[in-house]
Amino acid sequence: MTMSASALLEPGFLTSGAVQTALVVGAIAAIVSGVVGVFTVIRGQSFAGHALSDIGTAGGSAAFLVGVPTLYGFIVFNVMAAGVMELIGIRKARGRDLATGIVLGACLGLAALFLYEDTIHSSTTGAAVNVLFGSIFTLPPGITTVMACLGMASLGLIVLLYRPLLLSSISHEVAAARGVPVRLVGTGYLLALALAVSMSAVTVGAILSTALLVAPAATALRLSKRTSSAVLVAAGTGVLACWLGTLIAYDTTDWFNGNGWPVSFCIVVVLFLGYLLAGAVATVREKHRTRGTFTDRTTTVGEVV
């Protein structure tokens, strides 16, 4: 048992302060992203989640430029962008994508400017690497408290809006007919999404934060027919992927003479393999399913009504 553990865990993995911070931050970000991600997939707003992660690049690079933690830059820009996207109009899918694209284009231009200024002032490419690909092993221990507070705020919004959010995610028209304030619910969801994307951007970088948001949720929805159970599966899948990816990245440090694989790459690979495995499980289960089973959509509606 001891030999098996020592073969899997390189010396110092569980006692390293940097690794401990990475495991805690990764778990918090994964739980929040998994819960919010399930609604993102159901609502068909994966593009909005990806756009917010790209938009956050401008905030992260601006924060790097003025010397404050990149997390705060991600949050400020993502929350502002979510508000602008809601003001422009997201009632219809076409208008929603158009609004998202307009805000995304403007913020990518700002990101290019800020990253250029970062490079000029620091004479390194550190800003681009930290913002785009993450640097979870270099995060200060104090960030765990901030992440926990942000996580509770995001999850609190989802818990508060759970039933009307689920109904409006399935059918905007039915929700409106039942008196659900869909615009207000949508705004609350976008705020929760902005926080989740900001937290995942710190964990795996702005470029790959969409993977932590969407992949666990898509995996869970392949395995579970009920939203409530899918939320739990998505959160657990994300945490497992973050911890396993962190372990692989740490272990590869000795494989390549001190130049291990990036953590974000390892996490995303685990998420991708998990999604493929869930697809295989779903296919096998589908072959054994008897006729007359309710469809996913009907089951989910029944959960709300």
Side-chain angles (χ1 to χ4, degrees), residues 8-72:
L8 182 62
L9 302 176
E10 289 292 332
F13 178 75
L14 296 177
T15 57
S16 169
V19 172
Q20 292 172 356
T21 301
L23 294 177
V24 174
V25 169
I28 295 173
I31 291 172
V32 176
S33 296
V35 173
V36 177
V38 169
F39 291 96
T40 301
V41 174
I42 294 176
R43 294 172 68 89
Q45 288 192 263
S46 298
F47 176 60
H50 175 72
L52 282 176
S53 65
D54 288 343
I55 290 168
T57 304
S61 55
F64 194 94
L65 184 63
V66 298
V68 299
T70 55
L71 173 62
Y72 300 134

Side-chain angles (χ1 to χ4, degrees), residues 168-196:
S168 63
S169 299
I170 297 169
S171 175
H172 184 280
E173 291 74 15
V174 172
R178 285 176 172 267
V180 173
V182 291
R183 194 76 186 267
L184 181 61
V185 171
T187 302
Y189 157 75
L190 278 178
L191 180 57
L193 177 63
L195 294 177

Side-chain angles (χ1 to χ4, degrees), residues 68-86:
V68 299
T70 55
L71 173 62
Y72 300 134
F74 281 121
I75 293 173
V76 170
F77 268 70
N78 281 338
V79 170
M80 290 175 58
V84 172
M85 287 159 58
E86 172 62 29

